[in-house]
C-alpha cells in the first residue's frame, strides 16, 4: 500500500516583508518543508488575489488545496496547531493570553507610534518618538530576567511577533534617519534583538539588512504620505 503524501505547503511572501518572515520562522521552527513563492507587489498574482481577496497582502499560507490562510500571526498559530514539532505558543493559558496581548500591541499601538516617529515631521514626529520609546520600554519589561527570549529559553510566539523590532526597526531607522532603539535606552531589548537575529533558524530566513533597505527605500514617499494622512486624522 502506498503511504499518503503530506499536503504540500506553500508560502506566498515578498522579499523584505517582516510579516512573511514571521510565517517562515514558524514553519522552520516546526521543521515543515515549504515552497516560498515570491510575490510581485506592484503586479499582484492571481494566486494572491484568489487566496487573500480581502487584504490582497502577503503572507498567505497554502496547505494542500485548502483555502489560503491570511495574516501573519494567524498563520503562526495555524502552523503551531497543524504541524508536529516544538510548541510555538506557550502551553499555559495565561502565558498564551499575555503573548497574544503583546503581539496585538505590537501590530496596533506600537506600530502606529513608530510610523509617526519615522515618517511624520515636527511635533507629530517628536510625540511619536517619545511614545515609541515608552512602548519599547513596556515591551522590554516583558522579558524575564535570565531568559534569552520572550518565549523563555527558546524562540516562541512573541519573539516571532516582535521580530520587526529585532531586525526591521533598524532598516526603517536607516531609511528615515531617525534613531528609536538604542543600547543606552533599551539594553535588554537590544540584547534580545541580537539573540533573535543570531539564532540559526531565524538566520535561515532573515533577509539581509542592506538589501531590505534598498528594497524599501523607494517606498519612503508612500510611508510619508500615510503618516501625513494619519496626522490629519489626529
Ligand atoms: N496584517 C498583515 C500585514 C501584511 C502586510 O502589510 N504585507 C505587506 C508586505 S510587508 C503587503 O502585502 N503589502 C501589499 C499592499 O499593501 O498592497 C499581516 O500581519 O500579515
Amino acid at each position: 500500500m502506498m503511504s499518503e503524501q503530506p499536503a504540500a505547503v506553500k508560502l506566498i511572501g515578498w522579499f523584505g516583508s517582516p510579516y512573511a518572515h514571521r510565517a517562515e520562522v514558524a514553519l522552520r521552527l516546526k521543521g515543515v518543508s515549504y515552497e516560498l513563492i515570491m510575490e510581485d507587489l506592484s503586479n499582484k498574482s492571481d494566486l494572491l488575489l484568489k487566496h487573500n481577496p480581502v487584504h490582497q497582502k502577503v503572507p498567505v499560507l497554502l496547505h494542500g488545496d485548502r483555502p489560503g490562510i491570511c495574516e501573519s500571526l494567524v498563520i503562526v498559530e495555524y502552523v503551531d496547531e497543524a504541524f508536529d514539532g516544538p510548541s510555538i505558543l506557550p502551553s499555559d493559558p495565561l502565558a498564551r493570553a499575555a503573548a497574544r496581548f503583546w503581539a496585538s500591541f505590537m501590530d496596533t499601538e506600537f506600530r502606529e507610534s513608530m510610523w509617526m516617529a519615522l515618517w511624520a515631521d515636527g511635533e507629530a514626529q517628536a510625540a511619536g518618538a517619545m511614545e515609541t520609546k515608552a512602548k519599547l520600554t513596556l515591551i522590554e519589561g516583558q522579558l524575564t530576567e535570565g531568559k534569552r527570549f520572550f518565549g523563555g529559553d527558546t524562540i516562541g510566539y512573541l519573539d516571532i511577533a516582535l521580530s520587526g523590532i529585532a531586525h526591521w526597526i533598524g532598516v526603517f531607522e536607516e531609511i528615515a534617519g531617525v534613531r528609536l532603539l538604542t543600547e543606552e535606552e533599551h539594553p535588554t531589548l537590544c540584547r534580545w534583538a541580537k539573540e533573535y537575529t543570531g539564532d540559526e533558524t531565524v538566520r535561515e530566513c532573515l533577509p539581509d539588512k542592506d538589501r531590505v533597505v534598498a528594497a524599501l527605500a523607494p517606498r519612503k514617499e508612500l510611508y510619508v504620505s500615510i503618516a501625513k494622512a494619519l496626522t490629519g486624522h489626529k
Side-chain angles (χ1 to χ4, degrees):
M1 211 172 88
M2 280 206 352
S3 62
E4 212 180 301
Q5 289 286 324
V9 176
K10 296 180 186 180
L11 180 70
I12 311 178
W14 179 66
F15 172 79
S17 165
Y19 301 107
H21 169 76
R22 286 172 168 174
E24 277 202 86
V25 177
L27 288 165
R28 284 174 183 272
L29 285 174
K30 288 283 189 183
V32 177
S33 307
Y34 61 97
E35 179 194 341
L36 181 62
I37 302 172
M38 284 295 190
E39 184 67 26
D40 174 0
L41 291 179
S42 59
N43 180 23
K44 293 177 181 171
S45 68
D46 290 343
L47 190 70
L48 176 67
L49 301 181
K50 175 179 167 198
H51 288 285
N52 191 355
V54 176
H55 295 140
Q56 308 184 349
K57 289 183 178 187
V58 300
V60 176
L61 185 78
L62 305 175
H63 189 189
D65 48 15
R66 304 167 206 182
I69 299 143
C70 307
E71 285 294 316
S72 57
L73 292 177
V74 175
I75 294 173
V76 173
E77 293 214 24
Y78 175 82
V79 168
D80 198 23
E81 289 170 7
F83 301 100
D84 293 335
S87 290
I88 294 176
L89 273 131
S91 53
D92 171 61
L94 189 63
R96 202 153 58 216
R100 288 184 175 126
F101 172 87
W102 287 107
S104 159
F105 181 82
M106 167 74 193
D107 279 6
T108 53
E109 287 144 87
F110 178 78
R111 193 169 170 273
E112 197 179 310
S113 306
M114 187 187 71
W115 203 263
M116 300 310 281
L118 290 167
W119 314 115
D121 51 23
E123 274 177 32
Q125 190 282 330
M130 259 182 60
E131 279 175 27
T132 303
K133 289 177 183 192
K135 288 171 186 172
L136 284 171
T137 303
L138 287 175
I139 291 169
E140 186 173 52
Q142 303 312 305
L143 274 163
T144 310
E145 221 180 295
K147 298 281 179 199
R148 291 171 67 203
F149 298 107
F150 287 93
D153 294 321
T154 54
I155 288 177
Y157 179 75
L158 189 53
D159 298 283
I160 298 175
L162 298 176
S163 51
I165 292 178
H167 194 55
W168 276 264
I169 210 168
V171 167
F172 289 125
E173 284 178 338
E174 195 167 322
I175 300 172
V178 169
R179 289 304 304 280
L180 297 170
L181 177 63
T182 62
E183 292 272 357
E184 295 72 45
E185 286 175 289
H186 298 102
T188 311
L189 202 52
C190 287
R191 197 264 306 141
W192 162 80
K194 282 201 196 97
E195 293 269 15
Y196 181 83
T197 55
D199 178 85
E200 212 177 308
T201 308
V202 168
R203 277 169 48 180
E204 286 166 2
C205 57
L206 196 67
D208 173 71
K209 187 179 162 205
D210 291 342
R211 287 188 61 212
V212 184
V213 169
L216 298 186
R219 296 166 79 93
K220 182 173 176 176
E221 269 178 40
L222 171 74
Y223 300 151
V224 170
S225 68
I226 296 172
K228 277 213 172 75
L230 284 173
T231 315
H233 286 114
K234 286 220 159 185

